């Protein structure tokens, strides 16, 4: 796994934990921050994945 994958995984877990903390202690700001980090990390992963797939060079074909 690359460093971007590890970073996004860490943000994903942090967002999930912040959401749980905010839900248990009725702290809306922390809960919504967790949701935004959670969803943002998933979106960032898919954006990076699509970018890599779209910019991948195709091998030259022999006639």
């Amino acid at each position: 796994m690359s460093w971007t994958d590890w970073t996004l995984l860490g943000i994903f877990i942090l967002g999930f934990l912040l959401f749980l903390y905010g839900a248990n202690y009725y702290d809306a700001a922390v809960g919504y921050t967790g949701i935004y980090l959670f969803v943002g990390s998933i979106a960032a992963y898919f954006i990076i994945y699509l970018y890599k797939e779209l910019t991948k060079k195709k091998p030259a074909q022999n006639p």
Side-chain angles (χ1 to χ4, degrees):
M1 290 177 66
S2 68
W3 67 272
T4 54
D5 293 339
W6 284 109
T7 304
L8 291 174
L9 180 63
I11 293 171
F12 180 84
I13 293 170
L14 177 65
F16 184 71
L17 292 175
L18 284 176
F19 168 72
L20 291 178
Y21 178 84
N24 285 328
Y25 292 103
Y26 303 105
D27 192 352
V30 175
Y32 279 116
T33 302
I35 290 173
Y36 295 144
L37 286 174
F38 186 79
V39 173
S41 65
I42 294 171
Y45 179 78
F46 283 124
I47 290 169
I48 292 171
Y49 177 78
L50 286 174
Y51 177 76
K52 286 180 182 178
E53 287 296 319
L54 292 175
T55 59
K56 190 184 294 184
K57 293 188 178 184
K58 296 177 183 163
Q61 290 184 348
N62 294 332

